[in-house]
Amino acid sequence: MSHEASRPEGRGVGALAELRDAISTRAVLVMLGVLLLQLGFALSYMGAFHAPKPHRIPMVVVAPQAVEKDLVNRLNALPGEPLQVSAVTDRAQARARLLDRRADAVLVVAVAGRTDTLLVASAGGPSAGDAAMKILQTVDRTQDRQVVVRDIRPPAAGDSRGLSSFYLVLSWTIGGYLAASALNMAAGSKRPTLRRALVRLAAMVPYAFISGIGGAIIVGPVLNCLPGSFWELVGIGTLVVFASGAVGVALQSLAGTIGLGLTILIFTILGNPSSGGVYPASLLPPFWRAVGQALPPGAGTTVVRNTVYFDGNATTGALWILGAWAFAGIVVTILSAALHGRRRPVRAEAAGTTA
């Protein structure tokens, strides 16, 4: 009887041991990290996109002098400040501001008649122009006026909603940090020595260049999404992929597997919804509006769009941002590897003394 009574207990202990062997504490912690990233995706994307609300959309007005000041003041005083309006003297100057990316819309008030014209450049993303049009239509109805829209810089035929720049940069950033992760896993997830860190960074250079060429071929000759500017796109892609990869190498040098999660947090969870690819900063909530252009996805999307459609206007700051992330990744990787290399001899010496 005592032998039979002990068998269920033995099976229970064996099952518990098998469960512990199958699901280690480390596996539970990794799953918890994945859960947090999953919830972060939901919070970030839905938080940024669920209720886009215009805030200070940059707009230029060309109007007869008699009504100009009153119109600008009235539009700037709209509840919630959906528009940020300034006046210029003529249509050519206003058009230049639109194509220089200093404005998202231009309102040309008719000198005679009651039909005004709204100029937009939807290649830079149609959302801001659409929002400005809806606001002006509401305002004009109260003044018994109408507004018609003229798109002076539409996207290419294969880029109907102007989103190809965003998706291209998305693929480049994900490819960069996944390549860094692959290098880390190939070394058994060991934190690198200085030599190994330099080799990993060097390996990212040809990978980034090939990624830039591949992306430029896909959006150019293959799909005709972003025609022209082939070699400019190759250069931009090389910089974006290397910046993403260098940061991935750096964070995984510092924190191992956790570093990959931090890279996903920066580039995908925070960077993508705030990038301006789907909605511009003027339609995003305050947090996403503040961080978007400081992160590589936002800077990369701006550089690609403005290079392909707007002759490279307003790209200098975004290029500096990408360069800064790449440089920071290099510096942090080298410092982390050097510091880790210093600690190992100290530990080895301490172990020898103890022995």
Side-chain angles (χ1 to χ4, degrees):
M1 289 292 291
S2 60
H3 177 68
E4 291 179 359
S6 65
R7 289 177 64 188
E9 182 181 350
R11 284 198 299 269
V13 172
L16 181 60
E18 189 173 338
L19 178 64
R20 287 176 176 171
D21 182 63
I23 305 177
S24 64
T25 302
R26 178 181 175 84
V28 172
L29 292 175
V30 170
M31 290 178 69
L32 178 60
V34 172
L35 175 62
L36 292 176
L37 288 175
Q38 172 189 318
L39 297 176
F41 272 109
L43 176 62
S44 181
Y45 279 75
M46 287 184 274
F49 298 154
H50 78 288
K53 183 179 179 181
H55 178 75
R56 299 175 71 84
I57 297 173
M59 189 172 77
V60 173
V61 165
V62 181
Q65 193 171 2
V67 302
E68 177 189 282
K69 185 176 180 180
D70 178 68
L71 177 60
V72 169
N73 291 338
R74 184 152 43 89
L75 292 176
N76 282 330
L78 291 172
E81 297 184 285
L83 301 175
Q84 183 179 26
V85 183
S86 58
V88 295
T89 56
D90 57 50
R91 188 167 178 151
Q93 189 178 359
R95 179 188 174 96
R97 286 204 187 184
L98 186 60
L99 297 180
D100 287 347
R101 307 313 296 140
R102 288 180 289 164
D104 286 332
V106 171
L107 177 63
V108 181
V109 178
V111 177
R114 309 194 71 81
T115 300
D116 304 322
T117 303
L118 182 69
L119 304 181
V120 299
S122 63
S127 301
D130 291 346
M133 178 188 68
K134 292 176 182 177
I135 295 167
L136 291 175
Q137 285 176 335
T138 302
V139 172
D140 279 359
R141 277 197 294 268
T142 65
Q143 304 295 317
D144 193 26
R145 300 184 69 87
Q146 294 181 338
V147 59
V148 296
V149 179
R150 183 185 169 204
D151 192 348
I152 65 171
R153 187 60 55 85
D159 185 24
S160 60
R161 293 293 294 172
L163 295 176
S164 296
S165 302
F166 166 67
Y167 288 120
L168 177 60
V169 173
L170 173 64
S171 71
W172 278 336
T173 54
I174 292 176
Y177 68 67
L178 287 182
S181 181
L183 289 171
N184 186 55
M185 288 188 293
S189 297
K190 297 177 182 178
R191 294 188 184 180
T193 62
L194 181 57
R195 176 180 293 179
R196 190 179 296 140
L198 293 174
V199 169
R200 290 183 185 181
L201 289 172
M204 288 304 308
V205 175
Y207 176 84
F209 181 64
I210 294 170
S211 297
I213 291 176
I217 290 173
I218 289 171
V219 299
V222 174
L223 298 179
N224 202 38
C225 299
L226 301 172
S229 305
F230 178 85
W231 287 110
E232 290 89 339
L233 288 178
V234 171
I236 296 166
T238 302
L239 179 56
V240 170
V241 175
F242 182 80
S244 175
V247 172
V249 170
L251 292 178
Q252 289 175 73
S253 298
L254 283 173
T257 304
I258 296 174
L260 175 60
L262 293 175
T263 310
I264 294 172
L265 174 67
I266 293 170
F267 283 86
T268 303
I269 295 178
L270 295 178
N272 287 340
S274 65
S275 67
V278 178
Y279 291 119
S282 56
L283 268 68
L284 293 176
F287 173 76
W288 284 268
R289 188 178 354 168
V291 303
Q293 291 303 304
L295 299 175
T301 300
T302 295
V303 173
V304 171
R305 270 184 179 163
N306 291 1
T307 296
V308 173
Y309 290 121
F310 300 101
D311 302 318
N313 290 316
T315 57
T316 302
L319 287 169
W320 276 106
I321 292 292
L322 292 172
W325 279 94
F327 181 73
I330 294 170
V331 171
V332 172
T333 299
I334 293 173
L335 290 179
S336 174
L339 183 61
H340 185 64
R342 282 186 178 182
R343 286 176 179 171
R344 285 191 303 171
V346 172
R347 289 173 184 167
E349 183 178 340
T353 304
T354 302

